[in-house]
Amino acid sequence: MSDVLLEVKDLKKYYKVPKGMLHAVDGVSFDLEKGKTLGIVGESGCGKTTIGRAILRLVEPTSGSVIFDGVDIPKLNKQEMRHMRRNMQLIFQDPFSSLNPRKTITQTIEEPIILANMIPDPDKRFMRVMELMDTVGLAERLVNTYPHELDGGRRQRIGIARALAMSPKFIICDEPVSALDVSIQAQILNLMKKIQREMGLTYIFITHNLAVVNHFSDDIAVMYLGRLIEKAPSEALFANPLHPYTQALLSAIPVPRIHNRPERLLLRGEITSPINPEPICRFANRCNYAKPVCSQEEPSLIEIEPNHFVACHLTGRG
Amino acid sequence: MEIKQINEQENTLEIKNLVIHYISDEEVVKAVNGVNIIIKAGKTLGLVGETGAGKTTTALSILNLVPEPQGKILSGEILLEGRSVLAMSELELEVIRGDKVAMIFQDPMTSLNPVHTVGDQIAESIEIHRKVSKQEALKQAKEMLELVGIPSERSNEYPYQFSGGMKQRVVIAIALTCSPDLLIADEPTTALDVTIQAQVLRLINELRQKYHMSMLMITHDLGIVAEVCDEVSIAYAGRIIEHGSLEDIFDHMRHPYTKGLFDALPDIGTRRSELKPIKGLMPDPTNLPSGCPFHPRCDYVMEVCSQSLPENKWLSETHCVECHLYSDTNESML
Amino acid sequence: MDETVKKYTTRKEFFKQYKKKSRLQETWNRFLRNKLAVIGLFIFIFIMLAAVAAPLIANYDTDAITINVPNRLQSPSAGHIFGTDELGRDIMARIVHGARISLVVGFAAVALALFIGGALGAIAGYFGGKIDEVIMRCMDVFLCLPDVLLALAIVAAFGTNLVNMTIAIGLSFTPKFSRVVRSAVMTVRGIEYVEAARAIGANNTQIITNHVLINCFGPIVVQVTLYVASAILTISALSFIGLGIQAPIPEWGNMLASGRVYMRDHAYIVMAPGLAIFVTILSLNLLGDGLRDALDPRLK
């Protein structure tokens, strides 16, 4: 029996804008098993950041359900939601703006513990902070330093420690290493993997960097203009990308090799507007394989191979 | 680090022993500490480095645009087709900027003036450097737009009406209007989505071949280097610690930092259980380590590394490295 | 790690070992490097001390208030440093006592404006939407009126005493403060660490107090100094036209008004209060500029 921790069903987030409705997230569904990592990839405007926020109810979903450990998140009231937040945390992208510049490391890491009233005794609480700092690799002498005294890598470790403070089961990582230097990125990624193993965490890893997500995720979901257009285990996705967008995305990654360079599949045109989108395949205008049906009907997500889902008219019945 | 030169006229750009520090009341930021660069005519050099390597400062200095009063060029020479940039007057520099040497920056959002149409902005460069009428300039501007893949009808539109990728194309159009001899591109695609990046890189490649331009491509992404560059210089803490052709660097890398950079990259081809990061932190430009700036993070560190700066050593005609592992006294280590 | 636990069992001990780098210290150091700002600070402290020590410098009743006609219009001398005015009163005495009034009303008015305007601005800026609209439109109504006019209206309606003046000027500055605080709050509200606070379960009150307001101090502090200067100017203006502090209470503005007639032959009679106003405003402005530069988050 599968151990599904998170079930997202037809999640939608629309924003009202002067020109109409902006479909930031437009009916996304997936399951996530305990202890696994789901990578969500896509480019600007695909909705990956919004979906992370919507799952945690940092923005209110317009419709759809998010069932976490059997509980439908959007249906909880304020009290219950605050309590639920202990189980689901977020690691932010920008290590510079995600930390309050007026709080020391200790204050930042212990704030969630204080808010949840988990350890009332200050000394015991401080021990927990020290423990967390040790877990993420921050030296003890940094207890009273401010974020501006530290570099990006260390700041991101603080963000991770803060996310771990309440011992959550689930963490959404929103581009956690994109703002860091390459040599530091690897340090942080290794750390996150280690923590996942030791604490049995479940991750959603949001990024635009496909090389990183392959290294880090069990399954990968590709988003385009608010919709989930392909989802598969990492090896399967890289070995056999079915959706034309996924193929273009993979081929677009600059490869640090000078021999055996892959062929580049270039897309034409520009991404269409997410405002009042038509019920057709949103990728059709840029697709090199578009058929008439693509501009008439919206393809739905279908399991083409075991665990490999695609939303495309070309791969069988869309 | 010294670079051998064959024929001065063949080199579009030569930088010798450049030292630039930012001096303020509180601290001295040692951004560039003896950089040597040569870009041959028609070739592209990739300047690779992470934060604090001094890449942008070096690029700005080529056009004498290092922010004053804090930025001070303490020593060194910058020769543009044989002429010294640092000796030029402001007037002479204005003639060169945009004409002989063009620069494109990382963020297309802020590179364009929001209150002028894109056509006007491209035409501005033409009007400054060529003695033509406004109408003629606008006509040429439209041609440039087509060249970068934007329909010329859009020349009357404002920057906000374009996406990030298209804005960057406009920026490239502005840079190329006067067919510069040298194009300096400072992380031109970092702010763009990966599929757009692919398009823009292809455009840059086509245009540089068409115009036989020399190019300085500043980036931290080795994938981009493999895509567009002929030669590579690896920068660390304001020094060039390794330089060579694409093959030299990608197939025969020598410096431990270069090796570390490659190892730290997740390669789509292989899925390892753990990435191999470079331990430690980026060096603090206000407080650089003694001796070789990389020694605190180096897996091959020796005693001499913390005591003195390694000298430049030529491993082949094209490949040189600054590292004690390869110094003359350590020949046996090779 | 276990060793550490044994070494320091309480966080107090640990904090003693690794002290906090004081941000205040850093800001203060930066401030000190700005020479003009330091000059402004010194001048202002001097004026404050003069105001505080006014009764020690000159007796209020005998020197500042009591009319002494035979002594009138004396040029500056050893006995009277700034001379005497048209009613024989010692100008210096009147200046230092006048300073008290200017400073007290100035600070009190700004404090009132900060309290009310700040609260309204913070609420408008944090919650946005309709709440923001309603509050800001109310503030706009008041902004339409020039400060002096609004203060005038209140004073004319309710009488010219110190309390009314304070309230009048305070209310006229309230909309300005609300705007400053609102924009500071809006800027901070959009920064990720506020979202992070929400993610760890903080409610709105906790977010506003712990995260938003403490990061807004910079621009607010600067505005305070500049508005105090403005308030003092407004008081003097009102007193000058006769709708502020009334004679015989010494106030720089009314001293200017009553001394105006004698300006040609006895310039000192207006120079003293004029200079007092000028120097006070100048020092506050230098101080405000210096604070702005020192508090500038040039930190990464």
Side-chain angles (χ1 to χ4, degrees):
Chain A
M1 198 45 214
S2 73
D3 223 347
V4 171
L5 182 64
L6 179 72
E7 249 185 276
V8 173
K9 287 207 186 91
D10 205 30
L11 188 59
K12 290 189 181 151
K13 176 63 189 170
Y14 293 172
Y15 289 99
K16 194 163 193 322
V17 294
K19 289 204 186 126
M21 277 303 214
L22 196 154
H23 295 215
V25 177
D26 210 351
V28 172
S29 310
F30 59 82
D31 289 345
L32 181 55
E33 285 174 27
K34 209 189 280 190
K36 296 271 176 124
T37 302
L38 171 70
I40 299 185
V41 298
E43 297 178 303
S44 343
C46 71
K48 58 188 195 295
T49 305
T50 311
I51 200 177
R53 302 293 198 275
I55 292 175
L56 294 181
R57 269 184 83 186
L58 287 173
V59 312
E60 287 295 329
T62 306
S63 71
S65 64
V66 177
I67 303 179
F68 179 78
D69 222 8
V71 180
D72 194 4
I73 301 292
K75 292 209 166 62
L76 297 174
N77 66 34
K78 263 196 189 163
Q79 266 291 61
E80 293 166 336
M81 189 64 219
R82 273 219 302 282
H83 193 90
M84 186 50 104
R85 290 207 190 281
R86 293 187 212 178
N87 296 315
M88 28 178 22
Q89 281 298 301
L90 181 56
I91 296 176
F92 292 82
Q93 172 177 359
D94 188 349
F96 295 78
S97 60
S98 60
L99 301 175
N100 188 333
R102 306 226 175 238
K103 289 190 182 275
T104 59
I105 292 190
T106 306
Q107 289 167 329
T108 297
I109 299 179
E110 71 173 358
E111 188 181 2
I113 307 177
I114 296 177
L115 283 172
N117 206 14
M118 288 174 86
I119 308 177
D121 177 45
D123 287 325
K124 290 216 185 73
R125 192 167 60 225
F126 184 64
M127 284 303 129
R128 170 87 176 125
V129 169
M130 296 291 297
E131 199 186 303
L132 287 163
M133 282 177 63
D134 188 48
T135 307
V136 301
L138 285 168
E140 64 180 41
R141 63 184 170 80
L142 298 174
V143 280
N144 263 337
T145 51
Y146 288 95
H148 73 267
E149 300 175 58
L150 304 169
D151 66 288
R154 286 220 189 95
R155 282 190 231 201
Q156 200 62 314
R157 292 173 195 262
I158 301 174
I160 296 174
R162 174 176 58 189
L164 293 174
M166 293 192 274
S167 307
K169 297 181 191 159
F170 169 58
I171 301 187
I172 296 187
C173 316
D174 188 1
E175 308 255 23
V177 295
S178 305
L180 303 175
D181 283 312
V182 169
S183 55
I184 310 290
Q185 282 188 16
Q187 288 178 7
I188 302 296
L189 287 173
N190 283 348
L191 171 67
M192 289 173 66
K193 257 201 167 177
K194 180 177 97 139
I195 295 173
Q196 180 179 35
R197 266 196 320 267
E198 288 174 2
M199 302 187 182
L201 286 169
T202 307
Y203 282 152
I204 284 186
F205 193 82
I206 300 175
T207 182
H208 63 274
N209 186 334
L210 281 150
V212 165
V213 82
N214 175 35
H215 165 78
F216 204 75
S217 318
D218 300 301
D219 294 294
I220 299 179
V222 182
M223 284 186 70
Y224 188 82
L225 270 184
R227 295 186 62 78
L228 191 55
I229 52 128
E230 186 161 3
K231 178 173 175 279
S234 304
E235 294 96 25
L237 191 83
F238 278 83
N240 185 23
L242 293 173
H243 196 288
Y245 175 65
T246 314
Q247 292 165 359
L249 198 59
L250 288 176
S251 82
I253 306 170
V255 172
R257 280 201 311 269
I258 53 176
H259 308 292
N260 301 324
R261 294 181 58 79
E263 185 69 39
R264 277 291 184 89
L265 292 160
L266 287 179
L267 294 174
R268 54 194 170 89
E270 290 269 312
I271 194 167
T272 50
S273 168
I275 302 177
N276 304 332
E278 291 180 34
I280 59 172
C281 174
R282 298 183 198 182
F283 186 63
N285 72 313
R286 309 177 76 190
C287 187
N288 291 318
Y289 310 99
K291 294 201 294 230
V293 61
C294 302
S295 312
Q296 291 157 359
E297 258 180 61
E298 181 136 45
S300 28
L301 201 62
I302 300 205
E303 192 166 3
I304 300 291
E305 289 160 13
N307 261 321
H308 195 150
F309 300 79
V310 188
C312 179
H313 290 298
L314 297 167
T315 54
R317 305 196 46 240
Chain B
M1 179 182 101
E2 258 188 9
I3 303 190
K4 289 186 271 201
Q5 54 208 52
I6 306 139
N7 185 345
E8 277 218 83
Q9 265 62 47
E10 279 190 7
N11 293 337
T12 308
L13 178 71
E14 269 183 58
I15 300 181
K16 298 186 197 171
N17 288 318
L18 187 63
V19 177
I20 306 177
H21 292 177
Y22 290 97
I23 304 176
S24 70
D25 290 330
E26 301 157 337
E27 58 194 8
V28 175
V29 178
K30 300 190 178 154
V32 179
N33 301 305
V35 155
N36 290 277
I37 286 182
I38 289 195
I39 303 184
K40 306 189 182 86
K43 296 285 183 189
T44 299
L45 173 70
L47 183 56
V48 177
E50 301 175 288
T51 314
K55 324 186 283 287
T56 302
T57 308
T58 305
L60 290 172
S61 70
I62 298 175
L63 289 173
N64 214 338
L65 286 172
V66 176
E68 291 177 344
Q70 275 125 346
K72 288 198 168 50
I73 302 182
L74 295 173
S75 67
E77 260 194 328
I78 301 176
L79 299 172
L80 212 49
E81 285 170 347
R83 289 179 62 200
S84 166
V85 167
L86 300 176
M88 289 184 198
S89 67
E90 190 64 23
L91 222 57
E92 290 171 309
L93 284 169
E94 279 175 17
V95 169
I96 299 189
R97 290 174 190 151
D99 190 8
K100 278 215 170 295
V101 181
M103 190 156 173
I104 55 184
F105 298 89
Q106 176 175 339
D107 190 358
M109 309 295 155
T110 52
S111 300
L112 292 173
N113 189 330
V115 301
H116 291 304
T117 62
V118 303
D120 280 342
Q121 295 192 52
I122 301 176
E124 182 184 8
S125 191
I126 304 176
E127 280 178 82
I128 295 176
H129 295 288
R130 306 266 180 276
K131 292 174 179 48
V132 294
S133 68
K134 177 118 186 168
Q135 259 107 318
E136 177 64 28
L138 277 170
K139 185 159 148 299
Q140 288 183 18
K142 286 192 181 171
E143 285 167 18
M144 285 309 300
L145 276 178
E146 290 282 353
L147 194 68
V148 297
I150 297 179
S152 58
E153 302 87 60
R154 299 193 72 178
S155 71
N156 282 329
E157 290 183 18
Y158 289 88
Y160 79 87
Q161 294 168 279
F162 292 83
S163 68
M166 304 202 91
K167 275 195 261 235
Q168 199 62 313
R169 289 166 186 266
V170 173
V171 167
I172 292 173
I174 298 175
L176 295 179
T177 36
C178 302
S179 312
D181 295 328
L182 174 66
L183 176 66
I184 305 174
D186 190 355
E187 308 251 22
T189 56
T190 304
L192 305 175
D193 281 323
V194 83
T195 50
I196 309 295
Q197 177 177 271
Q199 291 176 338
V200 171
L201 283 178
R202 187 172 78 158
L203 174 68
I204 292 180
N205 246 344
E206 279 174 5
L207 293 175
R208 78 167 174 116
Q209 275 163 20
K210 178 174 161 148
Y211 285 111
H212 304 294
M213 262 181 341
S214 310
M215 186 161 76
L216 176 65
M217 170 65 90
I218 298 175
T219 179
H220 61 274
D221 188 334
L222 288 161
I224 294 181
V225 169
E227 181 102 10
V228 298
C229 302
D230 302 308
E231 291 182 357
V232 189
S233 288
I234 312 272
Y236 191 84
R239 307 185 63 81
I240 305 291
I241 49 107
E242 189 165 3
H243 169 91
S245 67
L246 272 191
E247 252 191 38
D248 291 332
I249 302 292
F250 279 77
D251 290 339
H252 311 294
M253 68 202 85
R254 288 282 178 255
H255 198 287
Y257 175 62
T258 315
K259 195 162 173 306
L261 269 184
F262 276 96
D263 281 343
L265 291 177
D267 189 356
I268 344 179
T270 59
R271 214 185 151 201
R272 280 165 289 177
S273 54
E274 264 212 0
L275 292 172
K276 205 177 162 308
I278 305 179
K279 65 175 192 257
L281 299 169
M282 301 302 302
D284 179 358
T286 61
N287 189 9
L288 290 172
S290 59
C292 170
F294 187 65
H295 85 257
R297 307 174 75 185
C298 187
D299 286 333
Y300 306 92
V301 63
M302 304 178 290
E303 227 189 280
V304 61
C305 300
S306 59
Q307 292 162 353
S308 63
L309 270 174
E311 277 178 16
N312 187 50
K313 168 93 175 167
W314 283 93
L315 303 171
S316 74
E317 226 184 66
T318 53
H319 191 180
C320 65
V321 69
E322 264 185 33
C323 178
H324 285 297
L325 284 171
Y326 305 99
S327 69
D328 291 320
T329 51
N330 276 325
E331 288 279 358
S332 51
M333 289 243 180
L334 282 171
Chain C
M1 174 59 194
D2 288 314
E3 302 233 337
T4 321
V5 175
K6 290 192 196 107
K7 266 198 305 195
Y8 307 110
T9 48
T10 64
R11 90 195 251 145
K12 253 210 200 131
E13 288 179 22
F14 217 103
F15 281 9
K16 254 195 280 182
Q17 172 78 352
Y18 298 116
K19 290 215 176 58
K20 253 190 245 194
K21 218 193 237 180
S22 174
R23 290 179 66 110
L24 213 60
Q25 185 73 22
E26 286 180 28
T27 308
W28 179 241
N29 289 337
R30 269 208 300 277
F31 180 82
L32 287 177
R33 274 193 282 269
N34 184 341
K35 297 192 180 64
L36 280 176
V38 175
I39 293 175
L41 180 66
F42 269 117
I43 297 177
F44 188 66
I45 290 180
F46 178 70
I47 296 172
M48 291 266 279
L49 286 174
V52 167
L56 299 173
I57 299 174
N59 184 292
Y60 187 65
D61 287 312
T62 56
D63 297 325
I65 303 285
T66 310
I67 299 177
N68 191 354
V69 177
N71 225 358
R72 67 193 298 254
L73 297 172
Q74 304 263 333
S75 296
S77 63
H80 300 282
I81 302 182
F82 291 150
T84 60
D85 68 359
E86 71 281 6
L87 292 174
R89 300 173 290 202
D90 179 27
I91 293 180
M92 208 230 3
R94 305 204 73 198
I95 295 267
V96 294
H97 283 284
R100 288 188 143 195
I101 295 181
S102 292
L103 288 174
V104 167
V105 177
F107 275 110
V110 168
L112 180 70
L114 181 58
F115 192 66
I116 300 180
L120 288 173
I123 295 174
Y126 185 75
F127 290 104
K130 292 217 177 65
I131 300 179
D132 183 17
E133 291 273 342
V134 167
I135 295 180
M136 279 302 117
R137 297 298 80 80
C138 289
M139 295 290 108
D140 281 345
V141 169
F142 287 98
L143 268 176
C144 290
L145 307 166
D147 314 329
V148 183
L149 217 54
L150 181 58
L152 235 160
I154 297 178
V155 159
F158 297 104
T160 60
N161 59 49
L162 277 177
V163 175
N164 286 354
M165 287 225 39
T166 308
I167 295 178
I169 297 178
L171 283 180
S172 72
F173 279 15
T174 300
K176 296 197 178 132
F177 259 116
S178 75
R179 286 210 161 255
V180 169
V181 174
R182 172 180 177 268
S183 90
V185 166
M186 281 174 77
T187 308
V188 173
R189 181 191 68 172
I191 304 184
E192 277 194 324
Y193 58 79
V194 170
E195 197 178 17
R198 194 183 299 286
I200 56 176
N203 63 32
N204 283 331
T205 319
Q206 288 161 330
I207 293 179
I208 296 182
T209 42
N210 274 332
H211 292 278
V212 175
L213 286 181
I214 56 176
N215 277 300
C216 291
F217 276 162
I220 296 177
V221 164
V222 175
Q223 287 302 127
V224 165
T225 52
L226 298 177
Y227 280 157
V228 167
S230 199
I232 293 176
L233 210 49
T234 308
I235 299 163
S236 300
L238 282 175
S239 306
F240 184 76
I241 60 176
L243 280 172
I245 312 289
Q246 305 291 333
I249 300 177
E251 201 277 330
W252 298 337
N254 69 26
M255 286 166 76
L256 274 174
S258 50
R260 207 155 47 107
V261 198
Y262 306 92
M263 205 166 58
R264 205 147 42 98
D265 299 320
H266 305 275
Y268 55 85
I269 208 173
V270 293
M271 268 177 63
L275 267 175
I277 297 175
F278 174 71
V279 169
T280 308
I281 306 295
L282 180 65
S283 69
L284 276 167
N285 273 302
L286 287 176
L287 189 55
D289 277 349
L291 277 174
R292 191 196 304 125
D293 289 341
L295 287 167
D296 188 336
R298 275 174 300 151
L299 312 166
K300 274 175 272 162

